[in-house]
Amino acid sequence: MNQLQKNKIIDTVDILNIDEATKLAQGQKCVIVTGVTGQDGSYMVEHLLENTDYLIFGGVRRLSVYNHENLSTISSDRFKLINFDLTDSHTISRIIEKLQPSYFINFAAQSFVGSSWDFPQQTWHTNTTSVIDILEAIRLYNPSCKFYQAGSSEEFGDVQYTPQDSKHPLRPRSPYGASKAAARQVVKVWRDSYDLFAVQGWLFNHESERRGEEFVTRKITKNVARIKKAIDNSEDFEPIELGNMEAKRDWSHSADFVEAVWLMLNQEKPKDYVLASGETHTVKEFVEKSFEYAGIGVHWYEDEENPMLNKLMDKNTGKILVRINPKYYRPAEVELLLGDPTEAESELNWQKRVDFSELVRRMVINDIEKINAI
């Protein structure tokens, strides 16, 4: 029977405590994946179910609201949720000591760059201190466990050369980027000092149909779907408000990256890699492509003296579809990120499958289908 089935809802009552998980794990090889309610974690679980026979524990926090939508397609007796808080060192130690995982894959983070200026200490504690706690627990209780830390292209920040590879200096321009850069150094220090199998992937921007709605790409595609529905129903609509349209990013699909993560964890010796598409596109291009796949013709009104007045308009009606709002600009902007995936491609034999256009198409169609189902 196919392990991945549609419409299986995982309720909070299914979340195991440490003792319950320990009983299940006895005599079995297991993997711990944090951040399973996000896009990377959920795709990782699916990849492991399809390609391994491991018991998989997904770390989640008990919340009063349901946030497990990305897990709704997963139905397998080999996948269990476990109550887990990345900011609680005691919990981390107990889980690693009791479950004795073969792999620990850490996708959990405070991953919204914009919010890291509002919550810099929380960002640091979640993204950096937790990595020390995990690695210390592995060192003390399960030194054979292989550890993966999800890094970010935001660590490169104020880039010195393009494309960025694993040798590029870390020059972050946000509290988020700084927290990830510090975590990368922690991984290296614990690996070198204690001979642990600990690796980090510098993941350049990656999106999917499961991307959180607070991220700009999903904000774009969800609102394009909203506008399309309004146009189809001859209804008024509010335009999308965005910040820096000229920021250039290297976008890939999340599912492609999790395959590379598993390859990294199963190489002979631990080594860090850049995961990227090797091409760059502006936010403006992402917006234009999104409306194209929604079947809406567009044109730009551009003010040469004040770019903040630029607007994207419906070619047929002249209605404003997108306008610039300065509040969405970052205090310190990263203008260009472009990764060099050559090492990962040649040494891990990894290749991306989804290009930029197909990524945008999938996200737009997914959001159109969702909003039409309401």
Side-chain angles (χ1 to χ4, degrees):
M1 185 173 65
N2 192 345
Q3 293 169 332
L4 306 183
Q5 300 174 344
K6 297 292 183 180
N7 303 321
K8 167 68 166 61
I9 300 299
I10 301 174
D11 202 349
T12 54
V13 297
D14 298 317
I15 300 175
L16 305 178
N17 61 38
I18 295 175
D19 292 334
E20 291 169 332
T22 301
K23 291 179 182 178
L24 271 179
Q26 285 182 353
Q28 296 194 63
K29 292 183 177 181
C30 70
V31 181
I32 296 175
V33 182
T34 67
V36 291
T37 59
Q39 60 170 8
D40 295 352
S42 61
Y43 281 120
M44 187 81 250
V45 169
E46 290 183 353
H47 185 75
L48 292 172
L49 288 173
E50 291 175 348
N51 294 280
T52 78
D53 58 359
Y54 288 105
L55 177 62
I56 304 157
F57 290 103
V60 295
R61 289 181 298 164
R62 288 187 182 274
L63 299 172
S64 59
V65 294
Y66 184 79
N67 71 333
H68 298 166
E69 181 182 356
N70 285 339
L71 303 176
S72 63
T73 61
I74 300 175
S75 180
S76 173
D77 290 338
R78 291 194 293 113
F79 174 56
K80 304 294 181 182
L81 296 180
I82 183 171
N83 196 20
F84 185 91
D85 188 338
L86 201 62
T87 62
D88 189 318
S89 60
H90 178 67
T91 300
I92 291 171
S93 293
R94 284 195 67 210
I95 285 176
I96 291 173
E97 180 183 10
K98 297 291 187 181
L99 270 60
Q100 291 290 298
S102 298
Y103 299 87
F104 193 114
I105 302 173
N106 186 35
F107 285 123
Q110 192 301 96
S111 56
F112 189 43
V113 179
S115 290
S116 70
W117 274 280
D118 296 326
F119 306 103
Q121 190 172 29
Q122 181 202 56
T123 299
W124 191 272
H125 193 41
T126 304
N127 297 357
T128 311
T129 306
S130 63
V131 177
I132 297 175
D133 293 335
I134 294 167
L135 287 168
E136 267 295 272
I138 290 173
R139 179 181 74 85
L140 292 171
Y141 303 116
N142 189 13
S144 65
C145 175
K146 294 184 175 183
F147 174 71
Y148 172 82
Q149 165 65 16
S152 170
S153 57
E154 291 286 334
E155 297 172 45
F156 299 130
D158 187 15
V159 300
Q160 289 188 329
Y161 60 83
T162 298
Q164 294 86 55
D165 55 26
S166 60
K167 297 179 180 63
H168 190 285
L170 305 183
R171 295 162 55 88
R173 287 175 60 81
S174 67
Y176 169 79
S179 71
K180 286 291 189 177
R184 183 267 177 273
Q185 299 293 357
V186 167
V187 169
K188 184 179 186 303
V189 169
W190 259 251
R191 179 174 68 212
D192 294 346
S193 301
Y194 302 115
D195 196 29
L196 300 179
F197 194 109
V199 294
Q200 169 175 295
W202 284 281
L203 277 61
F204 277 67
N205 292 68
H206 52 293
E207 318 297 330
S208 73
E209 304 90 313
R210 301 177 185 178
R211 187 48 133 168
E213 296 174 8
E214 69 272 21
F215 292 88
V216 67
T217 49
R218 186 70 195 288
K219 175 182 177 180
I220 292 167
T221 60
K222 184 179 180 182
N223 280 284
V224 166
R226 171 183 61 81
I227 289 173
K228 175 177 172 53
K229 186 173 184 178
I231 291 174
D232 290 346
N233 294 335
S234 300
E235 298 172 349
D236 290 332
F237 58 84
E238 289 295 316
I240 308 170
E241 293 190 343
L242 297 170
N244 184 4
M245 300 291 288
E246 301 304 325
K248 295 179 180 179
R249 293 293 182 268
D250 182 329
W251 277 298
S252 299
H253 196 286
S254 172
D256 285 345
F257 278 6
V258 301
E259 293 182 18
V261 168
W262 189 239
L263 290 170
M264 288 176 63
L265 281 166
N266 287 280
Q267 57 188 322
E268 185 176 346
K269 296 180 179 180
K271 181 178 178 179
D272 303 332
Y273 289 93
V274 165
L275 302 181
S277 72
E279 60 183 58
T280 188
H281 300 272
T282 62
V283 175
K284 185 177 181 180
E285 288 178 79
F286 197 104
V287 169
E288 293 169 345
K289 189 70 71 173
S290 296
F291 278 106
E292 176 186 331
Y293 284 121
I296 301 171
V298 300
H299 73 93
W300 284 95
Y301 165 79
E302 296 185 334
D303 190 302
E304 294 183 1
E305 294 184 0
N306 186 1
M308 291 292 180
L309 298 178
N310 291 354
K311 304 177 183 68
L312 185 67
M313 309 181 78
D314 187 320
K315 188 179 290 185
N316 294 325
T317 66
K319 288 186 176 181
I320 299 173
L321 303 171
V322 178
R323 61 186 172 207
I324 310 301
N325 190 329
K327 80 175 184 179
Y328 294 115
Y329 276 74
R330 298 175 180 176
E333 188 64 71
V334 176
E335 296 292 344
L336 168 65
L337 290 172
L338 172 61
D340 181 358
T342 304
E343 276 191 321
E345 291 172 346
S346 61
E347 297 179 14
L348 299 176
N349 195 27
W350 170 76
Q351 292 288 334
K352 70 169 187 177
R353 301 178 185 179
V354 181
D355 65 14
F356 173 75
S357 294
E358 176 62 12
L359 170 67
V360 179
R361 188 194 71 80
R362 290 186 187 186
M363 293 179 69
V364 171
I365 297 304
N366 175 71
D367 278 323
I368 289 174
E369 290 175 350
K370 278 190 171 183
I371 200 168
N372 286 337
I374 298 175

